[in-house]
Amino acid sequence: QVLLVESGGGAVEAGGSLRLSCAASGLRFDQYNLGWFRQVPGKEREAVSCVGWEGSTTYYADSVKGRFTISRNNAENTLYLQMTSLKPEDTAMYYCAAGLIVIPSSCTPVTGYNHLGQGTQVTVSS
């Protein structure tokens, strides 16, 4: 059974930083492409950042480029998202996701990231 467990969310003021972590189990971690997605109530889930199984192919949504950094540690089965210069519009539930048949350089198809964690809430106040 694949299990993805996110942590590191919380409430911060605009301009602050958070580091999200995602601990994975039940899968061959180093074979999976991984990503961070976010969702706010009433809106579709959107891709924030993705990384290929090899760790070098990455994607960032335009809204987070230059502020967020994705990384993975295959030895520890962990995915990270370092978020800096946070803005109120970054407020959302953040989900860790894993998929095999996806294009990590574009985080597509979203449905291909078929293993999802339960999410961690990020709230940024102005």
Side-chain angles (χ1 to χ4, degrees):
Q1 178 183 357
V2 176
L3 188 63
L4 302 174
V5 180
E6 302 94 338
S7 61
V12 296
E13 293 185 349
S17 299
L18 285 173
R19 189 193 196 201
L20 304 185
S21 299
C22 172
S25 61
L27 76 170
R28 279 292 306 272
F29 187 81
D30 59 0
Q31 293 182 351
Y32 276 77
N33 303 294
L34 306 172
W36 289 98
F37 295 79
R38 65 187 181 187
Q39 190 169 22
V40 297
K43 292 189 177 182
E44 292 187 354
R45 185 177 301 138
E46 66 168 342
V48 175
S49 181
C50 291
V51 61
W53 61 269
E54 82 294 341
S56 59
T57 303
T58 58
Y59 165 88
Y60 293 95
D62 287 343
S63 58
V64 307
K65 280 181 182 176
R67 300 187 298 121
F68 291 10
T69 303
I70 192 170
S71 62
R72 62 188 295 165
N73 185 325
N74 286 349
E76 296 185 355
N77 287 10
T78 306
L79 175 70
Y80 301 99
L81 185 69
Q82 179 68 49
M83 306 187 294
T84 63
S85 302
L86 283 161
K87 303 176 180 180
E89 50 264 43
D90 294 319
T91 295
M93 184 70 79
Y94 283 71
Y95 298 91
C96 168
L100 287 173
I101 307 175
V102 295
I103 305 171
S105 59
S106 62
C107 259
T108 58
V110 173
T111 54
Y113 290 87
N114 55 327
H115 298 294
L116 284 178
Q118 292 189 325
T120 185
Q121 177 68 38
V122 172
T123 303
V124 185
S125 60
S126 58

